Amino acid sequence: MPFKEKLARSLFFLAAVLSAAVTLAVLGFMIALSLPVLKKAALWDILSAPWSPDHGQFGILAMIVGTLCIALFSLCISFPLSLGCALFIEVTRPGGPGKVLKKIVQLMTAIPTVIYGFVGVFLLVPIVREIFVYGSGMSILSASLMLGLLISPTMILFFSQSFARVPQSDLNAVDALGGNTVQKLWYVMLPHAWRGILTGIILSFGRAMGDTLIALMISGNSIALPSSVLDSARTLTAHIALIIAADFDSIEFKILFICGITLYGMTSCGILLARGLDRKPR
Amino acid sequence: MTNAFWDKLLALFSWACALLLVGAVSVIIGFLVVKGYQTIHLELIFSTTRPLDALLFKQQVFDGLFPAMVGTLFLVVLSMGFALPVGLASGIFLAEYAPPRVKWIFSLLFDVLAGIPSIVVGLFGFSITIFLHHSFSDRIFPCLLISSLSLSFLVLPYIIRTTQISLESLPLQVRLTAPCLGATKLENIFLVLLPSSLSGIVSGIVLAIGRCAEDTAVIMLTGAVATAGVPRSIFSSFEALPFYVYYMASEYADPLELTKGYGAALILLILCAGLFVVAYAIKTRLTLKTPYRF
């Protein structure tokens, strides 16, 4: 019997090591495969130069800027919306309507990203083109609007969860002192829940940066540096998807691993930050 | 300003946000339903082939969604086949065996894995293919096997997390009863702990299936193509529903193809929403029907 126990224990341990190895293997592959490029060109040149393979320039600055622009802008759209919805679920209408909204939000997490992209191409892009009469409509604005919708469930569920964790006794105290809802929110709920809110923002920012399909389908994929929200832009993720067909031995292809490692680094930082926030005693 | 004014403003703001969100989602779903519902009939899936012949793989289906649906099914089955045993075992290790420090390191790594963008996982799968191609056999190309392996990396952290959380959230009484009666740790895990946390674990698995079915970024880098027919082996390239939807949006040749794109998108949406509802039902049903209340 003890042998069986030991065997099971080591099998479980082996599985955990195997899964953890995947995380490290992805990082290892990205580093190992981007080293040859880094030997030829300085990292700074790659990060700051424009992308024009015909002239021997393989910079990914425009893609990094594109990624950050689209992710930030979608966050700006989604944050107030998500906060409002979380307030609706937990504070202003916690009964029937709030529960219904929560179910809808949970269902939203099941909508595939390619669906958002598909509807974006055939519904949102023409609308943006008509309203602003500028370019093709494939722009940072279109991508950010769709991406904002994609990341809002993550934020809403995180926000409402951290609002729900505010101790009921504190809320009762505000009521007993004759405080109104706004005071309750401002003086009790936000000071309690800000960690959760920040965690939700960081995680959904990571999701916005990591998403491929929406940016690939409706941001236009131009390699120029964007100068307004109506300009087209290319994200790192879309860049990987677009260049993958290139020759394996070309520099274009090898640069993809730098893109990959940049994405890996940015999202891991987000995860570390979120974990740090979550771990602190409340 | 009076207090009542601010209260009303807050209520107005939250109502506006809620309505805006629900409105936007209804527009998206409504748009697909209105444009796609007419295309959904057997011909969309089987084209001119007889459905029975197609289902028995006697005859290849051209111009239909059948190969894409079969591709997605194979993808889901294979990647869950890889991810389930490893994920469940890792979750059990984390919840039941790991000392605190080991647990901290492992869960950090799994969190990072969960955060890696799917396109980077796809790039990883693609570079493994190139590596194998160069060092073992030049007959190795992006294929169903590589895709499902990469997908299993993607869903692994979800399975681990749901297993771990379901096990850890069991009440202490459940945890201690069997060992008190003389059960070993392994018996306790397999006969008491896992059965009691089954609903949480199963609904997590169903959600992971949904992720396998919807992900496009991984498979577009590791072997999904626009026309391949039903895959002959795990070493051949394949079609898949989400890739078909993506491909139709960018490369459609005529309005007829586009309507098939709408149909495919609607089917994918129904599939994923259906899986979500199943997961939800399992979670609530099984919890309600548990004979013992603690």
Side-chain angles (χ1 to χ4, degrees):
Chain A
M1 206 49 150
F3 171 72
K4 212 166 139 192
E5 297 282 324
K6 265 185 198 160
L7 181 73
R9 194 197 138 91
S10 23
L11 278 181
F12 292 148
F13 179 65
L14 202 70
V17 170
L18 201 68
S19 324
V22 173
T23 315
L24 300 175
V26 176
L27 184 65
F29 253 81
M30 293 295 140
I31 292 179
L33 289 166
S34 54
L35 276 183
V37 185
L38 290 177
K39 269 182 199 148
K40 278 184 206 150
L43 183 63
W44 177 246
D45 288 344
I46 295 169
L47 293 183
S48 63
W51 177 265
S52 68
D54 298 340
H55 299 94
Q57 286 185 306
F58 300 98
I60 54 170
L61 177 69
M63 287 57 134
I64 295 178
V65 172
T67 300
L68 291 178
C69 274
I70 291 181
L72 268 179
F73 207 61
S74 65
L75 205 62
C76 293
I77 294 165
S78 185
F79 175 67
L81 182 71
S82 305
L83 193 64
C85 289
L87 288 174
F88 186 86
I89 292 173
E90 290 296 333
V91 184
T92 58
R93 284 284 177 283
K99 275 193 184 132
V100 173
L101 182 65
K102 195 169 182 183
K103 290 260 152 54
I104 294 175
V105 171
Q106 283 170 336
L107 190 64
M108 272 180 78
T109 58
I111 301 180
T113 47
V114 70
I115 298 286
Y116 285 108
F118 190 84
V119 175
V121 170
F122 296 109
L123 184 69
L124 184 65
V125 166
I127 292 177
V128 169
R129 185 170 52 216
E130 300 244 318
I131 292 180
F132 295 99
V133 201
Y134 181 90
S136 65
M138 300 230 178
S139 57
I140 295 183
L141 180 69
S142 318
S144 307
L145 281 171
M146 270 300 169
L147 213 47
L149 212 52
L150 175 80
I151 62 176
S152 56
T154 316
M155 261 201 263
I156 296 171
L157 295 175
F158 250 94
F159 291 178
S160 60
Q161 195 185 4
S162 39
F163 282 142
R165 275 202 292 236
V166 176
Q168 189 61 41
S169 54
D170 292 19
L171 299 179
N172 291 345
V174 179
D175 288 339
L177 290 169
N180 60 4
T181 318
V182 176
Q183 288 168 329
K184 199 194 283 180
L185 181 72
W186 191 250
Y187 294 110
V188 178
M189 298 189 86
L190 285 183
H192 260 290
W194 70 270
R195 271 179 200 286
I197 291 177
L198 205 56
T199 312
I201 292 175
I202 293 170
L203 289 181
S204 36
F205 188 70
R207 259 212 93 179
M209 278 199 306
D211 184 77
T212 312
L213 265 294
I214 290 180
L216 179 64
M217 289 169 91
I218 58 182
S219 73
N221 297 320
S222 131
I223 49 167
L225 269 179
S227 55
S228 85
V229 291
L230 290 172
D231 276 346
S232 146
R234 187 185 283 195
T235 62
L236 286 168
T237 49
H239 189 63
I240 295 178
L242 288 166
I243 302 296
I244 199 79
D247 182 18
F248 303 159
D249 292 321
S250 63
I251 306 183
E252 277 120 303
F253 181 74
K254 285 177 180 152
I255 291 285
L256 292 190
F257 296 107
I258 308 243
C259 297
I261 215 164
T262 314
L263 280 168
Y264 191 111
M266 291 200 285
T267 46
S268 307
C269 284
I271 298 283
L272 292 180
L273 261 177
R275 273 179 70 102
L277 278 171
D278 218 29
R279 219 156 44 90
K280 293 271 164 55
R282 272 161 232 288
Chain B
M1 288 295 165
T2 57
N3 284 339
F5 171 77
W6 290 109
D7 265 13
K8 271 194 183 135
L9 201 66
L10 186 75
L12 194 70
F13 171 66
S14 63
W15 264 111
C17 288
L19 289 179
L20 190 64
L21 188 84
V22 175
V25 176
S26 333
V27 165
I28 288 181
I29 295 175
F31 178 75
L32 275 184
V33 171
V34 167
K35 291 267 191 176
Y37 85 99
Q38 285 162 321
T39 60
I40 295 203
H41 40 68
L42 280 181
E43 204 181 309
L44 174 73
I45 297 171
F46 296 110
S47 186
T48 49
T49 319
R50 272 182 49 217
L52 198 63
D53 287 349
L55 284 176
L56 296 173
F57 301 120
K58 275 186 195 159
Q59 211 177 348
Q60 278 284 12
V61 175
F62 299 102
D63 289 338
L65 288 178
F66 182 68
M69 294 168 90
V70 174
T72 293
L73 179 71
F74 282 3
L75 213 53
V76 166
V77 170
L78 274 174
S79 44
M80 291 317 276
F82 294 129
L84 261 188
V86 179
L88 285 176
S90 311
I92 294 173
F93 177 77
L94 238 56
E96 302 299 324
Y97 289 95
R101 189 162 294 193
V102 178
K103 192 166 167 173
W104 187 83
I105 294 172
F106 273 121
S107 56
L108 174 72
L109 285 171
F110 297 147
D111 277 359
V112 171
L113 185 60
I116 298 177
S118 57
I119 191 101
V120 177
V121 176
L123 187 61
F124 173 64
F126 189 74
S127 44
I128 286 182
T129 322
I130 297 176
F131 177 72
L132 293 175
H133 183 89
H134 279 311
S135 45
F136 290 106
S137 154
D138 51 7
R139 280 184 305 147
I140 298 178
F141 288 103
C143 61
L144 191 55
L145 180 68
I146 301 276
S147 269
S148 39
L149 261 180
S150 312
L151 270 184
S152 69
F153 299 157
L154 198 70
V155 295
L156 201 53
Y158 290 87
I159 299 176
I160 296 174
R161 245 314 120 90
T162 41
T163 312
Q164 185 197 348
I165 291 175
S166 311
L167 285 173
E168 279 175 352
S169 54
L170 287 175
L172 205 57
Q173 279 153 296
V174 184
R175 195 166 278 287
L176 293 181
T177 309
C180 287
L181 295 170
T184 64
K185 188 160 188 172
L186 202 58
E187 285 168 340
N188 192 24
I189 290 174
F190 278 103
L191 299 177
V192 180
L193 301 184
L194 279 181
S196 337
S197 52
L198 203 60
S199 65
I201 295 176
V202 173
S203 68
I205 291 170
V206 178
L207 288 182
I209 291 177
R211 271 208 61 122
C212 278
E214 68 118 0
D215 193 89
T216 324
V218 169
I219 58 170
M220 68 194 281
L221 261 58
T222 52
V225 290
T227 42
V230 172
R232 290 212 171 71
S233 78
I234 54 171
F235 296 110
S236 58
S237 49
F238 58 97
E239 294 179 36
L241 265 184
F243 185 77
Y244 186 87
V245 174
Y246 162 71
Y247 189 79
M248 278 305 141
S250 49
E251 316 268 332
Y252 68 96
D254 51 63
L256 185 71
E257 276 199 0
L258 185 58
T259 53
K260 282 196 332 207
Y262 282 111
L266 193 56
I267 291 179
L268 183 66
L269 183 65
I270 293 169
L271 179 73
C272 288
L275 282 172
F276 180 84
V277 172
V278 167
Y280 188 80
I282 288 172
K283 206 166 191 170
T284 45
R285 226 5 116 67
L286 280 182
T287 318
L288 287 180
K289 283 206 174 151
T290 309
Y292 322 104
R293 291 291 168 84
F294 305 107

